[in-house]
Amino acid sequence: MLGSSVARPQVGLCDSHQQSIKRQFQRSEWQGFQWLHRQFQPQVRKKCMVRLVRHSQELISQTEVKIDAGSLKIYPLQDQDERGTAILLTRAFAHTKDGRGFREIRDYVHEMLQSPPDGVMLVARLTPTDVSEMQLGKTSLVVGLAALSFNSATREQMPTLQPPDKAAYLSNIAVEPQYRRKGIASALLKVCEQVTQDALLNRLYLHARVADVGAQVFYKNAGYFEEGRDRSLTAIWHRISPRVLLCKALPVIE
């Protein structure tokens, strides 16, 4: 579904993103958060995650990326985005074995509104340079999305190639067909990696369909490596599209 983007967005968020978070905590408190996350009970780690993800979401809400098609804003899913996001996701996977009906996807999108701090859906909203692309009375439209899960509680159990339970997992990254190859997927992926780091996780996993060579090239060019691949007979047995499990190691925030 995804191919290599032609125009690379000038994201430049990583350093400023991390510095903004660090400035809000004294160094000792920041190190304490990391130690608690690794050592203490799950409920304590969850409190740390709540605070970190909240700060991350506040920073994302101020993020805008300039691309050739216009101004792109990436932010956590809001109530007003539910319908547009569900329509985009339904269309994106309509011609695959993993496709679902609109109602089922709308319910899934609604659940993602409640998922923080265990997960978050990011929405890419474009204000086009060419206003003729817009419907009357509208100034922007949802053109992309991506879902992040920080533990197994916010993702479906998969019959094969299950990512580690306590690792970050990226799913359902999708871009409207007419806006592909414009840097939107690259911008979404960049922000997903930053949110994963803010959650004190250093590996991000995702699946790509074996038949979707363009998506595999896109992710591998972004630094992802293959950890596993479905065998044809296994996929037939489980009635799924053969997939590849990809992973990227992310720098640890200190």
Side-chain angles (χ1 to χ4, degrees), residues 74-93:
I74 299 175
Y75 58 92
L77 177 71
Q78 306 294 320
D79 290 340
Q80 63 268 23
D81 302 314
E82 271 196 67
R83 179 174 176 79
T85 301
I87 291 173
L88 191 161
L89 201 53
T90 303
R91 284 202 295 251
F93 297 101

Side-chain angles (χ1 to χ4, degrees), residues 97-180:
K97 290 183 179 180
D98 304 316
R100 299 288 187 275
F102 174 75
R103 289 185 180 180
E104 184 177 349
I105 290 180
R106 185 179 58 187
D107 291 342
Y108 161 72
V109 171
H110 183 73
E111 288 176 4
M112 289 302 296
L113 276 169
Q114 318 301 324
S115 63
D118 296 310
V120 63
M121 178 172 280
L122 299 177
V123 174
R125 180 174 287 275
L126 179 70
T127 302
T129 304
D130 184 0
V131 294
S132 64
E133 299 178 10
M134 296 303 305
Q135 296 180 5
L136 186 64
K138 293 188 177 182
T139 58
S140 65
L141 70 162
V142 174
V143 294
L145 60 94
L148 267 178
S149 163
F150 300 127
N151 58 57
S152 59
T154 51
R155 70 184 72 134
E156 64 176 323
Q157 291 300 307
M158 302 163 196
T160 65
L161 301 178
Q162 182 78 20
D165 288 346
K166 295 182 180 180
Y169 176 70
L170 171 61
S171 64
N172 297 324
I173 185 167
V175 176
E176 285 284 8
Q178 65 268 37
Y179 291 103
R180 291 175 188 170

Side-chain angles (χ1 to χ4, degrees), residues 17-235:
H17 200 79
Q18 295 176 14
Q19 292 300 322
S20 297
I21 295 175
K22 289 183 180 180
R23 281 196 297 268
Q24 296 176 58
F25 307 113
Q26 296 294 332
R27 184 171 180 80
S28 58
E29 185 178 0
W30 178 261
Q31 291 174 339
F33 270 22
Q34 291 182 307
W35 185 78
L36 283 170
H37 178 78
R38 295 188 182 101
Q39 303 295 330
F40 267 48
Q41 303 173 29
Q43 60 267 33
V44 177
R45 291 202 305 271
K46 186 169 183 177
K47 289 180 181 178
C48 298
M49 185 79 78
V50 169
R51 191 167 179 183
L52 287 167
V53 171
R54 185 181 297 120
H55 280 287
S56 178
Q57 289 179 342
E58 289 171 356
L59 290 168
I60 292 171
S61 68
Q62 303 167 12
T63 297
E64 288 195 17
V65 181
K66 296 295 183 181
I67 60 174
D68 289 346
S71 178
L72 188 70
K73 185 175 182 182
I74 299 175
Y75 58 92
L77 177 71
Q78 306 294 320
D79 290 340
Q80 63 268 23
D81 302 314
E82 271 196 67
R83 179 174 176 79
T85 301
I87 291 173
L88 191 161
L89 201 53
T90 303
R91 284 202 295 251
F93 297 101
H95 303 295
T96 71
K97 290 183 179 180
D98 304 316
R100 299 288 187 275
F102 174 75
R103 289 185 180 180
E104 184 177 349
I105 290 180
R106 185 179 58 187
D107 291 342
Y108 161 72
V109 171
H110 183 73
E111 288 176 4
M112 289 302 296
L113 276 169
Q114 318 301 324
S115 63
D118 296 310
V120 63
M121 178 172 280
L122 299 177
V123 174
R125 180 174 287 275
L126 179 70
T127 302
T129 304
D130 184 0
V131 294
S132 64
E133 299 178 10
M134 296 303 305
Q135 296 180 5
L136 186 64
K138 293 188 177 182
T139 58
S140 65
L141 70 162
V142 174
V143 294
L145 60 94
L148 267 178
S149 163
F150 300 127
N151 58 57
S152 59
T154 51
R155 70 184 72 134
E156 64 176 323
Q157 291 300 307
M158 302 163 196
T160 65
L161 301 178
Q162 182 78 20
D165 288 346
K166 295 182 180 180
Y169 176 70
L170 171 61
S171 64
N172 297 324
I173 185 167
V175 176
E176 285 284 8
Q178 65 268 37
Y179 291 103
R180 291 175 188 170
R181 298 180 182 271
K182 296 182 183 295
I184 295 172
S186 296
L188 275 167
L189 189 60
K190 183 74 172 178
V191 175
C192 286
E193 291 173 1
Q194 291 164 359
V195 174
T196 298
Q197 289 176 288
D198 295 342
L200 300 181
L201 299 172
N202 62 358
R203 283 182 175 265
L204 180 56
Y205 288 82
L206 58 88
H207 286 106
R209 288 181 290 116
V210 170
D212 196 344
V213 178
Q216 294 176 55
V217 171
F218 169 77
Y219 290 120
K220 288 179 179 178
N221 286 343
Y224 289 77
F225 62 89
E226 185 175 322
E227 281 214 346
R229 179 179 289 254
D230 281 327
R231 295 181 178 180
S232 298
L233 289 178
T234 303

